[in-house]
Coordinates of all heavy atoms in Angstrom, one line a residue:
M2 N 0.8 -1.2 0.0 CA 0.0 0.0 0.0 C 0.9 1.2 0.0 O 1.8 1.3 0.8 CB -0.9 0.0 1.2 CG -2.0 1.1 1.2 SD -3.1 0.9 2.6 CE -2.1 1.6 3.9
R3 N 0.5 2.2 -0.8 CA 1.3 3.4 -0.9 C 0.7 4.4 0.0 O -0.5 4.7 0.0 CB 1.3 3.9 -2.3 CG 2.0 2.9 -3.3 CD 3.0 3.6 -4.2 NE 2.3 4.4 -5.2 CZ 3.0 5.3 -6.0 NH1 4.3 5.4 -5.9 NH2 2.3 6.0 -6.9
Q4 N 1.5 5.0 0.9 CA 1.1 6.0 1.7 C 1.3 7.4 1.1 O 2.3 7.5 0.4 CB 1.8 6.0 3.1 CG 1.5 4.7 3.9 CD 0.2 4.8 4.6 OE1 -0.3 5.9 4.8 NE2 -0.2 3.7 5.1
F5 N 0.4 8.3 1.3 CA 0.7 9.6 0.7 C 0.4 10.7 1.8 O -0.2 10.4 2.8 CB -0.1 9.9 -0.5 CG -1.6 9.9 -0.2 CD1 -2.3 11.0 0.2 CD2 -2.3 8.7 -0.5 CE1 -3.6 11.0 0.5 CE2 -3.7 8.7 -0.3 CZ -4.4 9.8 0.2
M6 N 1.0 11.8 1.6 CA 0.7 12.9 2.5 C 0.7 14.2 1.7 O 0.9 14.2 0.5 CB 1.8 13.0 3.6 CG 3.2 13.1 3.1 SD 4.4 12.7 4.4 CE 4.3 14.2 5.3
Y7 N 0.3 15.2 2.4 CA 0.1 16.5 1.7 C 1.2 17.5 2.0 O 1.6 17.6 3.2 CB -1.3 17.2 2.1 CG -2.4 16.3 1.6 CD1 -3.0 15.4 2.5 CD2 -3.0 16.5 0.4 CE1 -4.1 14.6 2.1 CE2 -4.1 15.8 0.0 CZ -4.6 14.8 0.8 OH -5.6 14.1 0.4
G8 N 1.7 18.1 1.0 CA 2.8 19.1 1.2 C 2.2 20.4 1.6 O 1.0 20.6 1.7
D9 N 3.1 21.4 1.9 CA 2.6 22.7 2.3 C 1.7 23.3 1.3 O 0.8 24.1 1.6 CB 3.8 23.6 2.6 CG 4.5 23.2 3.8 OD1 3.9 22.6 4.7 OD2 5.7 23.4 3.9
D10 N 2.0 23.0 0.0 CA 1.2 23.7 -1.1 C 0.0 22.8 -1.4 O -0.7 23.1 -2.4 CB 2.1 23.9 -2.3 CG 2.8 22.6 -2.7 OD1 2.5 21.5 -2.1 OD2 3.7 22.6 -3.6
G11 N -0.3 21.8 -0.7 CA -1.5 21.0 -0.9 C -1.3 19.9 -1.9 O -2.2 19.1 -2.1
D12 N -0.1 19.8 -2.5 CA 0.2 18.7 -3.4 C 0.4 17.4 -2.6 O 0.9 17.4 -1.5 CB 1.4 19.0 -4.2 CG 1.2 20.0 -5.3 OD1 0.0 20.1 -5.7 OD2 2.1 20.7 -5.7
I13 N -0.1 16.3 -3.2 CA 0.2 15.0 -2.6 C 1.6 14.6 -3.1 O 1.9 14.7 -4.2 CB -0.9 14.0 -3.1 CG1 -2.2 14.3 -2.6 CG2 -0.5 12.6 -2.7 CD1 -3.4 13.5 -3.2
F14 N 2.3 14.1 -2.1 CA 3.6 13.5 -2.5 C 3.9 12.3 -1.7 O 3.3 12.0 -0.7 CB 4.8 14.5 -2.3 CG 4.9 15.0 -0.9 CD1 5.8 14.5 0.0 CD2 4.2 16.1 -0.5 CE1 5.9 15.0 1.3 CE2 4.3 16.6 0.8 CZ 5.1 16.0 1.7
Y15 N 4.7 11.4 -2.3 CA 4.9 10.1 -1.7 C 6.2 10.2 -0.9 O 7.1 11.0 -1.1 CB 5.0 9.0 -2.7 CG 3.7 8.8 -3.3 CD1 3.3 9.5 -4.5 CD2 2.8 7.9 -2.8 CE1 2.0 9.3 -5.0 CE2 1.5 7.7 -3.3 CZ 1.2 8.4 -4.4 OH -0.1 8.2 -5.0
R16 N 6.3 9.2 0.1 CA 7.3 9.3 1.1 C 8.7 9.4 0.4 O 9.6 10.1 0.8 CB 7.3 8.1 2.0 CG 8.4 8.1 3.0 CD 8.3 6.9 3.9 NE 9.5 7.0 4.8 CZ 9.8 6.0 5.7 NH1 9.0 5.0 5.8 NH2 10.8 6.1 6.5
R17 N 8.9 8.6 -0.6 CA 10.2 8.5 -1.2 C 10.6 9.8 -1.8 O 11.8 10.1 -2.0 CB 10.2 7.4 -2.3 CG 10.2 6.1 -1.8 CD 10.3 5.0 -2.8 NE 9.7 3.7 -2.4 CZ 10.2 3.0 -1.5 NH1 11.3 3.3 -0.8 NH2 9.6 1.8 -1.2
S18 N 9.7 10.7 -2.1 CA 10.0 11.9 -2.7 C 10.0 13.1 -1.7 O 10.1 14.2 -2.1 CB 9.1 12.2 -3.9 OG 7.7 12.4 -3.4
V19 N 9.7 12.7 -0.5 CA 9.7 13.8 0.5 C 11.1 14.4 0.7 O 12.1 13.7 0.9 CB 9.2 13.2 1.9 CG1 9.4 14.3 3.0 CG2 7.8 12.8 1.8
D20 N 11.1 15.7 0.6 CA 12.4 16.4 0.7 C 12.5 17.0 2.1 O 11.8 18.0 2.4 CB 12.5 17.6 -0.3 CG 13.8 18.3 -0.3 OD1 14.7 17.8 0.4 OD2 13.9 19.3 -0.9
I21 N 13.3 16.4 2.9 CA 13.4 16.8 4.3 C 14.4 17.9 4.5 O 14.6 18.5 5.5 CB 13.7 15.7 5.3 CG1 15.1 15.1 5.0 CG2 12.7 14.6 5.2 CD1 15.7 14.2 6.1
S22 N 15.1 18.3 3.4 CA 16.2 19.3 3.6 C 15.6 20.6 3.9 O 16.3 21.5 4.4 CB 17.1 19.3 2.3 OG 16.3 19.7 1.2
E23 N 14.4 20.8 3.5 CA 13.7 22.1 3.7 C 13.1 22.2 5.1 O 12.5 23.2 5.5 CB 12.7 22.4 2.7 CG 13.2 22.5 1.3 CD 14.0 23.8 1.0 OE1 13.4 24.8 1.3 OE2 15.1 23.7 0.6
M24 N 13.0 21.0 5.8 CA 12.3 21.0 7.1 C 13.2 21.4 8.2 O 14.4 21.0 8.3 CB 11.8 19.5 7.3 CG 10.7 19.1 6.3 SD 10.1 17.4 6.7 CE 9.0 17.1 5.4
M25 N 12.6 22.1 9.1 CA 13.3 22.5 10.3 C 13.6 21.3 11.2 O 14.7 21.0 11.7 CB 12.5 23.5 11.1 CG 12.3 24.8 10.4 SD 13.5 26.1 10.7 CE 13.1 26.5 12.4
I26 N 12.5 20.6 11.6 CA 12.6 19.4 12.4 C 11.8 18.2 11.7 O 10.6 18.0 12.0 CB 12.0 19.6 13.8 CG1 12.6 20.8 14.4 CG2 12.2 18.4 14.7 CD1 12.1 21.2 15.8
P27 N 12.5 17.5 10.8 CA 11.8 16.4 10.1 C 11.6 15.2 11.1 O 12.5 14.8 11.8 CB 12.8 16.0 9.0 CG 14.1 16.5 9.5 CD 13.9 17.7 10.4
V28 N 10.4 14.7 11.1 CA 10.1 13.5 12.0 C 9.3 12.5 11.2 O 8.7 12.8 10.2 CB 9.3 13.9 13.2 CG1 10.1 14.9 14.1 CG2 7.9 14.5 12.9
R29 N 9.4 11.2 11.6 CA 8.6 10.2 11.0 C 7.5 9.8 12.0 O 7.8 9.7 13.2 CB 9.5 9.0 10.7 CG 8.7 7.9 10.0 CD 9.6 6.8 9.4 NE 10.4 6.1 10.4 CZ 9.9 5.1 11.1 NH1 8.7 4.7 10.9 NH2 10.6 4.5 12.1
C30 N 6.3 9.7 11.5 CA 5.2 9.4 12.3 C 5.2 7.9 12.8 O 5.5 7.0 12.0 CB 3.9 9.6 11.5 SG 2.4 9.2 12.3
L31 N 5.0 7.7 14.1 CA 5.0 6.4 14.7 C 3.6 5.8 14.8 O 3.4 4.8 15.4 CB 5.7 6.3 16.0 CG 7.2 6.6 15.9 CD1 7.8 6.5 17.3 CD2 7.9 5.5 15.0
R32 N 2.6 6.6 14.3 CA 1.2 6.0 14.2 C 1.0 5.2 13.0 O 0.5 4.1 13.0 CB 0.2 7.2 14.3 CG 0.2 7.8 15.7 CD -0.3 6.9 16.8 NE -0.3 7.5 18.1 CZ 0.8 7.4 18.9 NH1 1.9 6.8 18.5 NH2 0.8 8.0 20.1
C33 N 1.4 5.8 11.8 CA 1.2 5.1 10.6 C 2.6 4.6 10.1 O 2.7 3.8 9.1 CB 0.6 6.0 9.5 SG 1.6 7.4 9.0
H34 N 3.7 5.0 10.7 CA 5.0 4.5 10.4 C 5.5 4.8 9.0 O 6.5 4.3 8.5 CB 5.2 3.0 10.7 CG 5.1 2.6 12.1 ND1 6.2 2.6 12.9 CD2 4.0 2.4 12.9 CE1 5.8 2.3 14.2 NE2 4.5 2.1 14.2
D35 N 4.8 5.7 8.4 CA 5.2 6.0 7.0 C 5.2 7.5 6.7 O 5.9 8.0 5.8 CB 4.3 5.3 6.0 CG 5.1 4.9 4.8 OD1 6.3 4.8 4.8 OD2 4.4 4.7 3.7
G36 N 4.4 8.2 7.5 CA 4.3 9.7 7.2 C 5.5 10.4 7.7 O 6.1 10.1 8.8
I37 N 6.0 11.4 7.0 CA 7.1 12.3 7.4 C 6.6 13.7 7.3 O 6.0 14.1 6.3 CB 8.3 12.0 6.5 CG1 8.9 10.7 6.7 CG2 9.3 13.1 6.7 CD1 10.0 10.3 5.8
Y38 N 6.8 14.4 8.4 CA 6.4 15.8 8.4 C 7.3 16.7 9.2 O 8.2 16.2 9.9 CB 4.9 15.9 8.9 CG 4.7 15.4 10.3 CD1 4.8 16.2 11.4 CD2 4.3 14.0 10.4 CE1 4.5 15.7 12.7 CE2 4.0 13.5 11.7 CZ 4.1 14.4 12.8 OH 3.9 13.9 14.1
D39 N 7.1 18.0 9.1 CA 8.0 18.9 9.8 C 7.3 19.3 11.1 O 6.2 19.8 11.1 CB 8.2 20.2 8.9 CG 9.2 21.1 9.5 OD1 9.5 21.0 10.7 OD2 9.7 21.9 8.8
L40 N 8.0 19.0 12.2 CA 7.4 19.2 13.5 C 7.1 20.7 13.7 O 6.2 21.0 14.5 CB 8.4 18.7 14.6 CG 7.8 18.3 15.9 CD1 6.7 17.2 15.8 CD2 8.9 17.8 16.9
T41 N 7.8 21.5 13.1 CA 7.5 23.0 13.3 C 6.3 23.4 12.4 O 5.9 24.6 12.6 CB 8.8 23.8 12.9 OG1 9.0 23.6 11.5 CG2 10.0 23.4 13.7
K42 N 5.8 22.6 11.6 CA 4.7 23.0 10.7 C 3.4 22.4 11.1 O 2.3 22.7 10.5 CB 5.0 22.5 9.3 CG 6.2 23.1 8.6 CD 5.9 24.5 8.1 CE 7.1 25.2 7.5 NZ 7.6 24.4 6.3
V43 N 3.4 21.6 12.2 CA 2.1 21.0 12.6 C 1.2 22.1 13.2 O 1.7 23.1 13.7 CB 2.3 19.8 13.6 CG1 3.0 18.7 12.9 CG2 3.0 20.3 14.8
E44 N -0.1 21.8 13.1 CA -1.0 22.8 13.7 C -1.4 22.3 15.1 O -2.1 21.3 15.3 CB -2.3 22.8 12.8 CG -3.1 24.1 12.9 CD -4.2 24.2 11.9 OE1 -3.9 23.9 10.7 OE2 -5.3 24.4 12.3
V45 N -0.8 23.0 16.1 CA -1.0 22.6 17.5 C -2.4 22.9 17.9 O -2.9 24.0 17.7 CB 0.0 23.3 18.4 CG1 -0.3 23.0 19.8 CG2 1.4 22.8 18.0
T46 N -3.1 21.9 18.4 CA -4.5 22.0 18.8 C -4.7 22.4 20.2 O -5.7 22.9 20.6 CB -5.3 20.8 18.4 OG1 -4.7 19.6 19.1 CG2 -5.3 20.5 16.9
A47 N -3.7 22.0 21.1 CA -3.8 22.3 22.5 C -2.4 22.4 23.1 O -1.5 21.6 22.7 CB -4.6 21.2 23.2
R48 N -2.2 23.3 24.0 CA -0.9 23.4 24.7 C -1.2 23.2 26.2 O -2.0 23.9 26.7 CB -0.3 24.8 24.4 CG 0.4 24.9 23.1 CD 1.1 26.2 23.0 NE 1.3 26.6 21.6 CZ 2.2 26.1 20.8 NH1 3.1 25.1 21.3 NH2 2.3 26.4 19.5
Y49 N -0.4 22.4 26.8 CA -0.4 22.2 28.2 C 0.9 22.5 28.8 O 1.9 22.8 28.1 CB -0.8 20.7 28.5 CG -2.1 20.3 27.9 CD1 -2.2 19.6 26.8 CD2 -3.3 20.7 28.5 CE1 -3.4 19.2 26.2 CE2 -4.5 20.4 28.0 CZ -4.6 19.6 26.8 OH -5.7 19.2 26.2
I50 N 1.0 22.5 30.1 CA 2.2 22.9 30.7 C 3.4 22.0 30.3 O 4.5 22.4 30.0 CB 2.1 22.8 32.3 CG1 1.2 24.0 32.8 CG2 3.4 23.0 33.0 CD1 0.8 23.9 34.2
D51 N 3.1 20.7 30.2 CA 4.1 19.7 29.9 C 4.1 19.1 28.5 O 4.9 18.3 28.2 CB 4.1 18.6 31.0 CG 2.8 17.9 31.0 OD1 1.8 18.4 30.4 OD2 2.7 16.9 31.7
C52 N 3.1 19.5 27.7 CA 3.1 18.9 26.3 C 2.2 19.7 25.4 O 1.4 20.6 25.8 CB 2.6 17.5 26.3 SG 0.8 17.3 26.6
S53 N 2.3 19.5 24.1 CA 1.5 20.0 23.1 C 0.8 18.9 22.4 O 1.3 17.8 22.4 CB 2.3 20.9 22.1 OG 3.0 21.9 22.7
M54 N -0.4 19.2 21.8 CA -1.1 18.2 21.0 C -1.3 18.7 19.6 O -1.5 19.9 19.4 CB -2.4 17.8 21.7 CG -2.2 17.3 23.1 SD -3.8 16.5 23.7 CE -3.7 14.9 22.8
W55 N -1.2 17.8 18.7 CA -1.5 18.2 17.3 C -2.0 17.0 16.5 O -2.0 15.8 17.0 CB -0.3 18.7 16.6 CG 0.8 17.7 16.5 CD1 1.0 16.9 15.4 CD2 1.9 17.4 17.4 NE1 2.2 16.1 15.6 CE2 2.7 16.4 16.8 CE3 2.2 17.9 18.7 CZ2 3.8 15.9 17.5 CZ3 3.3 17.4 19.3 CH2 4.1 16.4 18.7
K56 N -2.6 17.3 15.4 CA -3.0 16.2 14.5 C -1.9 15.9 13.5 O -1.4 16.9 12.8 CB -4.3 16.6 13.8 CG -5.5 16.4 14.6 CD -6.7 15.8 13.7 CE -7.8 15.3 14.6 NZ -9.1 15.6 14.1
T57 N -1.6 14.7 13.3 CA -0.6 14.3 12.3 C -1.1 14.6 10.9 O -2.3 14.3 10.6 CB -0.2 12.9 12.4 OG1 -1.4 12.1 12.2 CG2 0.4 12.5 13.8
P58 N -0.3 15.3 10.1 CA -0.8 15.6 8.7 C -0.9 14.3 7.8 O -1.6 14.3 6.8 CB 0.3 16.5 8.2 CG 1.5 16.2 9.0 CD 1.0 15.8 10.4
C59 N -0.2 13.2 8.2 CA -0.2 12.0 7.4 C -1.4 11.1 7.6 O -2.0 10.6 6.7 CB 1.1 11.3 7.6 SG 1.6 11.2 9.4
C60 N -1.8 10.9 8.9 CA -2.9 10.0 9.2 C -3.9 10.5 10.1 O -4.8 9.8 10.6 CB -2.3 8.7 9.8 SG -1.1 9.0 11.1
D61 N -3.9 11.8 10.4 CA -5.0 12.5 11.1 C -5.2 11.9 12.5 O -6.3 11.8 13.0 CB -6.2 12.4 10.3 CG -7.1 13.6 10.5 OD1 -6.6 14.7 10.7 OD2 -8.4 13.5 10.5
Q62 N -4.1 11.6 13.2 CA -4.2 11.1 14.5 C -3.9 12.2 15.5 O -3.0 13.1 15.2 CB -3.1 10.0 14.8 CG -3.3 8.8 13.9 CD -4.4 7.8 14.4 OE1 -4.4 7.5 15.6 NE2 -5.2 7.4 13.5
L63 N -4.6 12.3 16.6 CA -4.3 13.3 17.6 C -3.2 12.7 18.5 O -3.3 11.7 19.1 CB -5.5 13.6 18.5 CG -5.5 14.8 19.3 CD1 -5.3 16.1 18.5 CD2 -6.8 14.9 20.2
V64 N -2.0 13.4 18.5 CA -0.9 12.9 19.3 C -0.3 14.0 20.1 O -0.7 15.2 20.0 CB 0.2 12.4 18.3 CG1 -0.3 11.3 17.5 CG2 0.7 13.6 17.4
D65 N 0.6 13.7 21.0 CA 1.2 14.7 21.9 C 2.7 14.4 21.9 O 3.2 13.5 21.2 CB 0.7 14.6 23.3 CG 0.9 13.3 24.0 OD1 2.0 12.7 23.9 OD2 -0.1 12.7 24.5
D66 N 3.5 15.3 22.5 CA 4.9 15.1 22.5 C 5.5 14.6 23.8 O 6.7 14.8 24.1 CB 5.6 16.5 22.1 CG 5.2 17.6 23.0 OD1 4.5 17.3 24.0 OD2 5.6 18.7 22.7
L67 N 4.7 13.8 24.5 CA 5.2 13.2 25.7 C 5.9 11.9 25.3 O 5.4 10.9 25.3 CB 4.0 12.9 26.6 CG 3.3 14.1 27.2 CD1 2.0 13.6 28.0 CD2 4.2 14.8 28.2
I68 N 7.2 12.1 25.0 CA 8.0 11.0 24.5 C 8.3 9.9 25.6 O 8.7 8.8 25.3 CB 9.2 11.4 23.8 CG1 10.1 12.2 24.7 CG2 8.9 12.2 22.6 CD1 11.5 12.5 24.2
W69 N 8.3 10.4 26.8 CA 8.7 9.4 27.9 C 7.6 8.5 28.3 O 7.7 7.7 29.2 CB 9.2 10.2 29.1 CG 8.2 11.2 29.6 CD1 7.3 11.0 30.6 CD2 8.1 12.6 29.3 NE1 6.5 12.1 30.8 CE2 7.1 13.1 30.0 CE3 8.8 13.4 28.4 CZ2 6.7 14.4 29.9 CZ3 8.4 14.7 28.3 CH2 7.4 15.2 29.0
T70 N 6.4 8.6 27.8 CA 5.3 7.8 28.1 C 5.4 6.4 27.5 O 4.5 5.5 27.8 CB 3.9 8.4 27.8 OG1 3.9 8.6 26.3 CG2 3.7 9.7 28.5
G71 N 6.3 6.2 26.6 CA 6.5 4.9 25.9 C 5.6 4.8 24.7 O 5.5 3.7 24.1
R72 N 4.8 5.8 24.4 CA 4.0 5.8 23.2 C 4.3 7.0 22.3 O 3.4 7.7 22.0 CB 2.5 5.6 23.5 CG 2.1 6.7 24.5 CD 0.6 6.5 24.9 NE 0.1 7.7 25.7 CZ -0.3 8.8 25.2 NH1 -0.4 8.9 23.9 NH2 -0.8 9.7 25.9
A73 N 5.6 7.2 22.1 CA 6.0 8.4 21.3 C 5.3 8.4 20.0 O 5.0 7.4 19.3 CB 7.5 8.3 21.1
A74 N 4.9 9.6 19.6 CA 4.1 9.8 18.3 C 5.0 9.9 17.1 O 4.5 9.8 16.0 CB 3.2 11.0 18.5
Y75 N 6.3 10.2 17.4 CA 7.2 10.4 16.2 C 8.6 10.1 16.6 O 9.0 9.9 17.8 CB 7.1 11.9 15.8 CG 7.6 12.8 16.8 CD1 8.9 13.2 17.0 CD2 6.7 13.4 17.7 CE1 9.4 14.0 17.9 CE2 7.1 14.3 18.7 CZ 8.5 14.6 18.8 OH 8.9 15.4 19.8
V76 N 9.4 9.9 15.6 CA 10.9 9.8 15.8 C 11.6 10.8 14.9 O 11.2 11.0 13.8 CB 11.4 8.3 15.5 CG1 11.1 8.0 14.1 CG2 12.9 8.2 15.8
N77 N 12.6 11.5 15.5 CA 13.3 12.5 14.7 C 14.1 11.8 13.6 O 14.6 10.7 13.7 CB 14.2 13.2 15.6 CG 13.5 14.2 16.5 OD1 12.9 13.7 17.5 ND2 13.5 15.4 16.2
L78 N 14.3 12.5 12.5 CA 15.1 12.0 11.4 C 16.4 12.8 11.3 O 16.4 14.0 11.5 CB 14.3 12.1 10.1 CG 13.0 11.3 10.0 CD1 12.3 11.6 8.6 CD2 13.3 9.8 10.1
D79 N 17.4 12.1 10.9 CA 18.6 12.8 10.7 C 18.6 13.3 9.2 O 17.6 13.1 8.5 CB 19.9 11.9 10.9 CG 19.9 10.7 10.0 OD1 19.3 10.7 8.9 OD2 20.6 9.7 10.4
R80 N 19.7 14.0 8.8 CA 19.7 14.6 7.5 C 19.6 13.7 6.4 O 19.4 14.1 5.2 CB 20.9 15.5 7.4 CG 20.7 16.9 8.1 CD 19.6 17.7 7.5 NE 18.9 18.5 8.5 CZ 17.7 19.0 8.3 NH1 17.0 18.7 7.2 NH2 17.1 19.6 9.2
N81 N 19.8 12.4 6.6 CA 19.8 11.4 5.5 C 18.4 10.7 5.5 O 18.1 9.8 4.7 CB 20.8 10.3 5.7 CG 22.2 10.9 5.6 OD1 22.5 11.7 4.7 ND2 23.1 10.5 6.5
G82 N 17.5 11.2 6.4 CA 16.2 10.6 6.4 C 16.0 9.4 7.2 O 15.0 8.7 7.1
H83 N 17.1 9.1 8.0 CA 17.0 7.9 8.8 C 16.6 8.2 10.2 O 16.8 9.3 10.7 CB 18.4 7.2 8.9 CG 18.9 6.7 7.5 ND1 20.1 7.1 7.0 CD2 18.3 6.0 6.6 CE1 20.3 6.5 5.8 NE2 19.2 5.9 5.5
D84 N 16.0 7.3 10.9 CA 15.5 7.5 12.2 C 16.7 7.8 13.1 O 17.8 7.1 13.0 CB 14.8 6.2 12.8 CG 13.5 5.9 12.1 OD1 13.2 6.7 11.1 OD2 12.9 5.0 12.5
E85 N 16.6 8.8 13.9 CA 17.6 9.1 14.9 C 17.4 8.3 16.1 O 16.3 8.2 16.6 CB 17.6 10.6 15.3 CG 18.8 11.4 15.1 CD 18.6 12.9 15.2 OE1 17.9 13.3 16.1 OE2 19.2 13.6 14.4
R86 N 18.5 7.7 16.6 CA 18.4 6.8 17.8 C 18.4 7.7 19.0 O 19.2 8.6 19.1 CB 19.5 5.8 17.9 CG 19.5 4.8 16.8 CD 18.3 3.8 16.9 NE 17.9 3.2 15.7 CZ 16.7 3.0 15.3 NH1 15.7 3.4 16.0 NH2 16.4 2.4 14.1
R87 N 17.5 7.5 19.9 CA 17.5 8.3 21.2 C 18.5 7.7 22.1 O 18.7 6.5 22.2 CB 16.1 8.3 21.8 CG 15.1 8.9 21.0 CD 13.8 9.0 21.8 NE 12.6 9.2 21.0 CZ 12.2 10.3 20.4 NH1 12.9 11.4 20.6 NH2 11.2 10.4 19.6
Ligands
ZN12 ZN1 1.0 9.2 10.4

């Protein structure tokens, strides 16, 4: 199955063609495991003292940035597009 996501300009693009070089904080979605998006471009829906919540642009899941809960919503990517090890 091919996953797709929407770019800033509304165009659909596929993961292999995602250009992360323009992204401030490229991350890979751990909900659908295929979406890649810029963490600085997400639309934050709620801000709390210890976390923010947003909808993933790839699979429309409501996620937060509480990475220590063991259900991290994303993993950071390095400049080669590979998962960064924490
Ligand atoms: Zn996703």
Side-chain angles (χ1 to χ4, degrees):
M2 191 175 72
R3 297 225 289 171
Q4 295 278 347
F5 62 85
M6 54 193 289
Y7 295 91
D9 290 332
D10 52 6
D12 284 333
I13 295 173
F14 57 95
Y15 290 92
R16 181 181 176 184
R17 289 185 203 293
S18 63
V19 172
D20 182 9
I21 64 166
S22 64
E23 300 285 308
M24 294 184 183
M25 298 266 291
I26 306 177
V28 298
R29 185 166 63 82
C30 177
L31 290 182
R32 289 295 177 270
C33 63
H34 290 269
D35 212 23
I37 291 175
Y38 57 91
D39 188 338
L40 205 56
T41 64
K42 297 276 179 64
V43 292
E44 206 171 309
V45 174
T46 56
R48 282 187 203 282
Y49 302 100
I50 291 171
D51 58 349
C52 77
S53 302
M54 300 195 75
W55 65 90
K56 275 219 169 142
T57 58
C59 42
C60 50
D61 211 34
Q62 299 277 314
L63 196 60
V64 297
D65 59 50
D66 54 7
L67 291 172
I68 59 172
W69 56 87
T70 58
R72 51 183 188 87
Y75 62 88
V76 59
N77 289 78
L78 296 177
D79 64 23
R80 279 297 146 199
N81 296 317
H83 298 128
D84 293 3
E85 234 170 39
R86 295 289 158 222
R87 295 188 201 279

